[in-house]
Amino acid sequence: EIVMTHSPATLSVSPGERATLSCRASQSVSSNLAWYQQKPGQAPRLLVYDASTRATGIPARFSGSGSGTEFTLTISSLQSEDFAVYYCQQYSNWPLTFGGGTKVEIK
Amino acid sequence: QVQLVESGGGVVQPGRSLRLSCAASGFTFSSYAMHWVRQAPGKGLEWVTVISYDGSNQYYTDSVKGRFTISRDNSKNTLYLQMNSPRAEDTAVYYCAVQLATTAEFFQHWGQGTLVTVSS
């Protein structure tokens, strides 16, 4: 099973600042990686797939990068609605696996 | 627009059975693979199982193999998860999700989830 690890577990950021979230895979997943955002009491929302392709309707301030084992989700200027938990997910191998998430909180 | 609505959650005793349903609309249900993903209280996301568009193939995470069964009725646009012999560790919100990409298993749309609590 491929283990996905987020860092940091919690990120404290002020509105308007840039946030950089990392996700590492225990073995290469090529570019088969997605990012999701989840707010309390809500289902996850797809942000990015294929490591760097924004999903439909996702604002341009969200960008994904990386390949192999190291991935990054960048939020260029945090808005109030962006404070949430972010998960990466690999779809290179079965079983599909998620990271434990990074919580982005207001500083 | 795509809509996925789960139902069937509740409290179930260990070792009993429960069936979850997911009613789909807004897309051609019979053309896409469907998944169940769960989230234990206060925890992260865990993929559970997938079924192919025509129901001919299924995969499961190891912890539910032999206990859970995924199925679908394309005539009713409905996905199911039969949970047999549930355990306390199966307590979670269960989401159904659709995989719109043919060969890439990520989830474009999710239901709102249904809570399953396994407790005596």
Side-chain angles (χ1 to χ4, degrees):
Chain A
E1 169 174 320
I2 297 177
V3 177
M4 308 300 294
T5 304
H6 286 271
S7 61
T10 303
L11 187 61
S12 298
V13 186
S14 299
E17 288 188 341
R18 181 186 191 91
T20 302
L21 290 67
S22 296
C23 171
R24 173 177 290 178
S26 60
Q27 64 189 75
S28 177
V29 299
S30 187
S31 294
N32 299 312
L33 185 107
W35 288 93
Y36 302 87
Q37 176 194 67
Q38 188 179 34
K39 297 178 181 179
Q42 296 185 17
R45 177 175 72 145
L46 177 68
L47 298 175
V48 168
Y49 62 93
D50 292 347
S52 61
T53 303
R54 268 191 306 276
T56 302
I58 301 303
R61 64 180 181 272
F62 291 92
S63 62
S65 63
S67 66
T69 62
E70 301 285 343
F71 300 89
T72 301
L73 177 71
T74 302
I75 312 171
S76 59
S77 177
L78 270 160
Q79 306 299 302
S80 57
E81 62 266 30
D82 300 336
F83 292 96
V85 179
Y86 293 82
Y87 295 96
C88 63
Q89 177 234 328
Q90 66 81 20
Y91 47 95
S92 177
N93 283 60
W94 298 100
L96 309 179
T97 49
F98 292 86
T102 289
K103 181 180 181 180
V104 177
E105 63 177 25
I106 300 174
K107 187 174 182 180
Chain B
Q1 72 281 18
V2 172
Q3 193 168 12
L4 299 169
V5 179
E6 301 95 337
S7 61
V11 179
V12 59
Q13 293 181 331
R16 304 300 289 266
S17 295
L18 194 67
R19 188 176 81 160
L20 307 183
S21 300
C22 170
S25 60
F27 66 105
T28 306
F29 180 74
S30 60
S31 295
Y32 299 102
M34 295 293 296
H35 299 251
W36 289 98
V37 177
R38 67 185 179 183
Q39 186 169 35
K43 303 297 184 181
L45 300 167
E46 180 186 23
W47 173 80
V48 177
T49 180
V50 60
I51 188 167
S52 58
Y53 69 100
D54 61 355
S56 62
N57 290 291
Q58 307 90 30
Y59 294 101
Y60 299 89
T61 193
D62 283 350
S63 63
V64 308
K65 279 180 187 174
R67 300 188 300 119
F68 290 10
T69 302
I70 189 172
S71 62
R72 65 192 297 161
D73 186 337
N74 286 343
S75 69
K76 296 182 178 179
N77 288 352
T78 303
L79 175 73
Y80 302 100
L81 183 66
Q82 179 69 39
M83 305 173 63
N84 294 335
S85 302
R87 305 166 180 165
E89 54 265 35
D90 296 320
T91 294
V93 174
Y94 285 74
Y95 297 100
C96 63
V98 61
Q99 173 195 325
L100 296 181
T102 303
T103 57
E105 294 80 8
F106 58 88
F107 316 116
Q108 286 88 343
H109 300 282
W110 301 61
Q112 84 289 349
T114 188
L115 176 62
V116 174
T117 302
V118 183
S119 174
S120 54

mmCIF file of all heavy atoms in Angstrom, chain B residues 4-6 21-24 34-37 79 94-98 107 109-114:
data_model
loop_
_atom_site.group_PDB
_atom_site.id
_atom_site.type_symbol
_atom_site.label_atom_id
_atom_site.label_comp_id
_atom_site.label_asym_id
_atom_site.label_seq_id
_atom_site.Cartn_x
_atom_site.Cartn_y
_atom_site.Cartn_z
ATOM 1 N N LEU B 4 -25.610 13.191 -5.843
ATOM 2 C CA LEU B 4 -25.475 11.885 -5.223
ATOM 3 C C LEU B 4 -26.055 11.988 -3.822
ATOM 4 O O LEU B 4 -25.633 12.834 -3.032
ATOM 5 C CB LEU B 4 -24.002 11.469 -5.152
ATOM 6 C CG LEU B 4 -23.275 11.342 -6.500
ATOM 7 C CD1 LEU B 4 -21.765 11.204 -6.300
ATOM 8 C CD2 LEU B 4 -23.804 10.161 -7.280
ATOM 9 N N VAL B 5 -27.014 11.131 -3.521
ATOM 10 C CA VAL B 5 -27.691 11.199 -2.227
ATOM 11 C C VAL B 5 -27.634 9.836 -1.558
ATOM 12 O O VAL B 5 -28.261 8.869 -2.018
ATOM 13 C CB VAL B 5 -29.154 11.651 -2.384
ATOM 14 C CG1 VAL B 5 -29.836 11.693 -1.016
ATOM 15 C CG2 VAL B 5 -29.235 13.008 -3.066
ATOM 16 N N GLU B 6 -26.867 9.770 -0.468
ATOM 17 C CA GLU B 6 -26.744 8.525 0.289
ATOM 18 C C GLU B 6 -27.881 8.390 1.298
ATOM 19 O O GLU B 6 -28.422 9.389 1.788
ATOM 20 C CB GLU B 6 -25.404 8.465 1.045
ATOM 21 C CG GLU B 6 -24.167 8.555 0.183
ATOM 22 C CD GLU B 6 -23.632 9.963 0.083
ATOM 23 O OE1 GLU B 6 -24.416 10.916 0.290
ATOM 24 O OE2 GLU B 6 -22.426 10.139 -0.193
ATOM 25 N N SER B 21 -27.422 2.983 0.441
ATOM 26 C CA SER B 21 -27.788 3.281 -0.936
ATOM 27 C C SER B 21 -27.270 4.660 -1.323
ATOM 28 O O SER B 21 -27.075 5.529 -0.467
ATOM 29 C CB SER B 21 -29.309 3.259 -1.119
ATOM 30 O OG SER B 21 -29.844 1.995 -0.807
ATOM 31 N N CYS B 22 -27.071 4.843 -2.618
ATOM 32 C CA CYS B 22 -26.648 6.129 -3.148
ATOM 33 C C CYS B 22 -27.427 6.357 -4.446
ATOM 34 O O CYS B 22 -27.198 5.649 -5.431
ATOM 35 C CB CYS B 22 -25.148 6.132 -3.401
ATOM 36 S SG CYS B 22 -24.534 7.560 -4.335
ATOM 37 N N ALA B 23 -28.344 7.299 -4.419
ATOM 38 C CA ALA B 23 -29.145 7.619 -5.595
ATOM 39 C C ALA B 23 -28.443 8.688 -6.416
ATOM 40 O O ALA B 23 -28.080 9.744 -5.879
ATOM 41 C CB ALA B 23 -30.517 8.099 -5.165
ATOM 42 N N ALA B 24 -28.256 8.406 -7.693
ATOM 43 C CA ALA B 24 -27.498 9.303 -8.566
ATOM 44 C C ALA B 24 -28.410 9.964 -9.583
ATOM 45 O O ALA B 24 -29.374 9.356 -10.071
ATOM 46 C CB ALA B 24 -26.402 8.530 -9.282
ATOM 47 N N MET B 34 -18.158 3.786 -9.813
ATOM 48 C CA MET B 34 -18.614 4.419 -8.579
ATOM 49 C C MET B 34 -17.831 3.863 -7.401
ATOM 50 O O MET B 34 -17.451 2.686 -7.384
ATOM 51 C CB MET B 34 -20.101 4.165 -8.361
ATOM 52 C CG MET B 34 -21.027 4.783 -9.394
ATOM 53 S SD MET B 34 -21.040 6.583 -9.360
ATOM 54 C CE MET B 34 -21.708 6.901 -7.718
ATOM 55 N N HIS B 35 -17.614 4.716 -6.408
ATOM 56 C CA HIS B 35 -16.809 4.357 -5.244
ATOM 57 C C HIS B 35 -17.554 4.670 -3.946
ATOM 58 O O HIS B 35 -18.441 5.524 -3.916
ATOM 59 C CB HIS B 35 -15.513 5.175 -5.223
ATOM 60 C CG HIS B 35 -14.618 4.983 -6.392
ATOM 61 N ND1 HIS B 35 -13.410 4.313 -6.306
ATOM 62 C CD2 HIS B 35 -14.741 5.374 -7.695
ATOM 63 C CE1 HIS B 35 -12.820 4.314 -7.486
ATOM 64 N NE2 HIS B 35 -13.606 4.943 -8.356
ATOM 65 N N TRP B 36 -17.129 3.981 -2.891
ATOM 66 C CA TRP B 36 -17.468 4.366 -1.527
ATOM 67 C C TRP B 36 -16.169 4.764 -0.812
ATOM 68 O O TRP B 36 -15.170 4.048 -0.902
ATOM 69 C CB TRP B 36 -18.140 3.222 -0.768
ATOM 70 C CG TRP B 36 -19.536 2.913 -1.210
ATOM 71 C CD1 TRP B 36 -19.937 1.934 -2.062
ATOM 72 C CD2 TRP B 36 -20.733 3.595 -0.798
ATOM 73 N NE1 TRP B 36 -21.299 1.964 -2.225
ATOM 74 C CE2 TRP B 36 -21.820 2.965 -1.447
ATOM 75 C CE3 TRP B 36 -21.015 4.656 0.071
ATOM 76 C CZ2 TRP B 36 -23.153 3.365 -1.288
ATOM 77 C CZ3 TRP B 36 -22.320 5.063 0.238
ATOM 78 C CH2 TRP B 36 -23.375 4.423 -0.436
ATOM 79 N N VAL B 37 -16.236 5.887 -0.130
ATOM 80 C CA VAL B 37 -15.120 6.396 0.674
ATOM 81 C C VAL B 37 -15.694 6.692 2.053
ATOM 82 O O VAL B 37 -16.809 7.203 2.161
ATOM 83 C CB VAL B 37 -14.525 7.676 0.052
ATOM 84 C CG1 VAL B 37 -13.416 8.241 0.941
ATOM 85 C CG2 VAL B 37 -13.998 7.405 -1.357
ATOM 86 N N LEU B 79 -26.477 3.026 -6.402
ATOM 87 C CA LEU B 79 -25.313 2.285 -5.920
ATOM 88 C C LEU B 79 -25.625 1.779 -4.522
ATOM 89 O O LEU B 79 -26.330 2.442 -3.757
ATOM 90 C CB LEU B 79 -24.106 3.233 -5.879
ATOM 91 C CG LEU B 79 -22.797 2.719 -5.297
ATOM 92 C CD1 LEU B 79 -22.143 1.730 -6.260
ATOM 93 C CD2 LEU B 79 -21.857 3.888 -4.993
ATOM 94 N N TYR B 94 -20.062 7.509 5.482
ATOM 95 C CA TYR B 94 -19.810 6.840 4.211
ATOM 96 C C TYR B 94 -20.280 7.741 3.073
ATOM 97 O O TYR B 94 -21.445 8.151 3.029
ATOM 98 C CB TYR B 94 -20.521 5.491 4.153
ATOM 99 C CG TYR B 94 -19.819 4.442 4.994
ATOM 100 C CD1 TYR B 94 -19.905 4.472 6.385
ATOM 101 C CD2 TYR B 94 -19.045 3.448 4.401
ATOM 102 C CE1 TYR B 94 -19.233 3.540 7.162
ATOM 103 C CE2 TYR B 94 -18.371 2.503 5.171
ATOM 104 C CZ TYR B 94 -18.471 2.561 6.549
ATOM 105 O OH TYR B 94 -17.798 1.639 7.316
ATOM 106 N N TYR B 95 -19.341 8.061 2.183
ATOM 107 C CA TYR B 95 -19.634 8.871 1.009
ATOM 108 C C TYR B 95 -19.625 7.998 -0.240
ATOM 109 O O TYR B 95 -18.724 7.154 -0.394
ATOM 110 C CB TYR B 95 -18.560 9.937 0.808
ATOM 111 C CG TYR B 95 -18.432 10.967 1.902
ATOM 112 C CD1 TYR B 95 -17.432 10.873 2.871
ATOM 113 C CD2 TYR B 95 -19.278 12.068 1.950
ATOM 114 C CE1 TYR B 95 -17.279 11.845 3.853
ATOM 115 C CE2 TYR B 95 -19.142 13.042 2.925
ATOM 116 C CZ TYR B 95 -18.142 12.912 3.873
ATOM 117 O OH TYR B 95 -18.004 13.885 4.849
ATOM 118 N N CYS B 96 -20.571 8.220 -1.122
ATOM 119 C CA CYS B 96 -20.427 7.671 -2.464
ATOM 120 C C CYS B 96 -19.830 8.762 -3.345
ATOM 121 O O CYS B 96 -20.019 9.961 -3.084
ATOM 122 C CB CYS B 96 -21.734 7.156 -3.039
ATOM 123 S SG CYS B 96 -23.015 8.404 -3.281
ATOM 124 N N ALA B 97 -19.078 8.350 -4.335
ATOM 125 C CA ALA B 97 -18.393 9.298 -5.207
ATOM 126 C C ALA B 97 -18.327 8.720 -6.614
ATOM 127 O O ALA B 97 -18.190 7.506 -6.791
ATOM 128 C CB ALA B 97 -16.991 9.588 -4.683
ATOM 129 N N VAL B 98 -18.388 9.589 -7.598
ATOM 130 C CA VAL B 98 -18.350 9.160 -8.992
ATOM 131 C C VAL B 98 -16.984 9.460 -9.599
ATOM 132 O O VAL B 98 -16.386 10.515 -9.335
ATOM 133 C CB VAL B 98 -19.471 9.815 -9.824
ATOM 134 C CG1 VAL B 98 -19.361 11.336 -9.838
ATOM 135 C CG2 VAL B 98 -19.484 9.280 -11.253
ATOM 136 N N PHE B 107 -12.111 11.553 -7.729
ATOM 137 C CA PHE B 107 -13.547 11.679 -7.511
ATOM 138 C C PHE B 107 -14.021 13.107 -7.760
ATOM 139 O O PHE B 107 -13.741 14.011 -6.980
ATOM 140 C CB PHE B 107 -13.892 11.247 -6.096
ATOM 141 C CG PHE B 107 -13.192 9.983 -5.683
ATOM 142 C CD1 PHE B 107 -12.281 9.977 -4.655
ATOM 143 C CD2 PHE B 107 -13.417 8.799 -6.364
ATOM 144 C CE1 PHE B 107 -11.610 8.821 -4.294
ATOM 145 C CE2 PHE B 107 -12.760 7.634 -6.017
ATOM 146 C CZ PHE B 107 -11.853 7.646 -4.975
ATOM 147 N N HIS B 109 -17.220 14.158 -7.986
ATOM 148 C CA HIS B 109 -18.418 14.542 -7.253
ATOM 149 C C HIS B 109 -18.657 13.551 -6.124
ATOM 150 O O HIS B 109 -18.420 12.339 -6.288
ATOM 151 C CB HIS B 109 -19.646 14.579 -8.172
ATOM 152 C CG HIS B 109 -19.520 15.548 -9.305
ATOM 153 N ND1 HIS B 109 -19.690 16.903 -9.147
ATOM 154 C CD2 HIS B 109 -19.212 15.334 -10.611
ATOM 155 C CE1 HIS B 109 -19.505 17.494 -10.311
ATOM 156 N NE2 HIS B 109 -19.213 16.576 -11.210
ATOM 157 N N TRP B 110 -19.117 14.087 -5.008
ATOM 158 C CA TRP B 110 -19.358 13.305 -3.801
ATOM 159 C C TRP B 110 -20.776 13.552 -3.305
ATOM 160 O O TRP B 110 -21.324 14.642 -3.483
ATOM 161 C CB TRP B 110 -18.407 13.735 -2.686
ATOM 162 C CG TRP B 110 -16.947 13.609 -2.964
ATOM 163 C CD1 TRP B 110 -16.229 14.242 -3.955
ATOM 164 C CD2 TRP B 110 -16.006 12.828 -2.239
ATOM 165 N NE1 TRP B 110 -14.907 13.894 -3.876
ATOM 166 C CE2 TRP B 110 -14.737 13.032 -2.824
ATOM 167 C CE3 TRP B 110 -16.099 11.980 -1.128
ATOM 168 C CZ2 TRP B 110 -13.576 12.404 -2.346
ATOM 169 C CZ3 TRP B 110 -14.952 11.375 -0.650
ATOM 170 C CH2 TRP B 110 -13.712 11.580 -1.261
ATOM 171 N N GLY B 111 -21.342 12.551 -2.631
ATOM 172 C CA GLY B 111 -22.582 12.763 -1.922
ATOM 173 C C GLY B 111 -22.313 13.483 -0.606
ATOM 174 O O GLY B 111 -21.167 13.794 -0.269
ATOM 175 N N GLN B 112 -23.371 13.711 0.152
ATOM 176 C CA GLN B 112 -23.237 14.432 1.424
ATOM 177 C C GLN B 112 -22.844 13.494 2.573
ATOM 178 O O GLN B 112 -22.473 13.952 3.646
ATOM 179 C CB GLN B 112 -24.545 15.162 1.771
ATOM 180 C CG GLN B 112 -25.598 14.329 2.477
ATOM 181 C CD GLN B 112 -26.263 13.285 1.592
ATOM 182 O OE1 GLN B 112 -26.090 13.281 0.370
ATOM 183 N NE2 GLN B 112 -27.045 12.403 2.204
ATOM 184 N N GLY B 113 -22.921 12.193 2.305
ATOM 185 C CA GLY B 113 -22.509 11.211 3.295
ATOM 186 C C GLY B 113 -23.651 10.726 4.172
ATOM 187 O O GLY B 113 -24.647 11.426 4.369
ATOM 188 N N THR B 114 -23.495 9.503 4.680
ATOM 189 C CA THR B 114 -24.444 8.943 5.625
ATOM 190 C C THR B 114 -23.641 8.308 6.759
ATOM 191 O O THR B 114 -22.657 7.601 6.514
ATOM 192 C CB THR B 114 -25.387 7.927 4.952
ATOM 193 O OG1 THR B 114 -26.410 7.535 5.877
ATOM 194 C CG2 THR B 114 -24.661 6.687 4.458
#
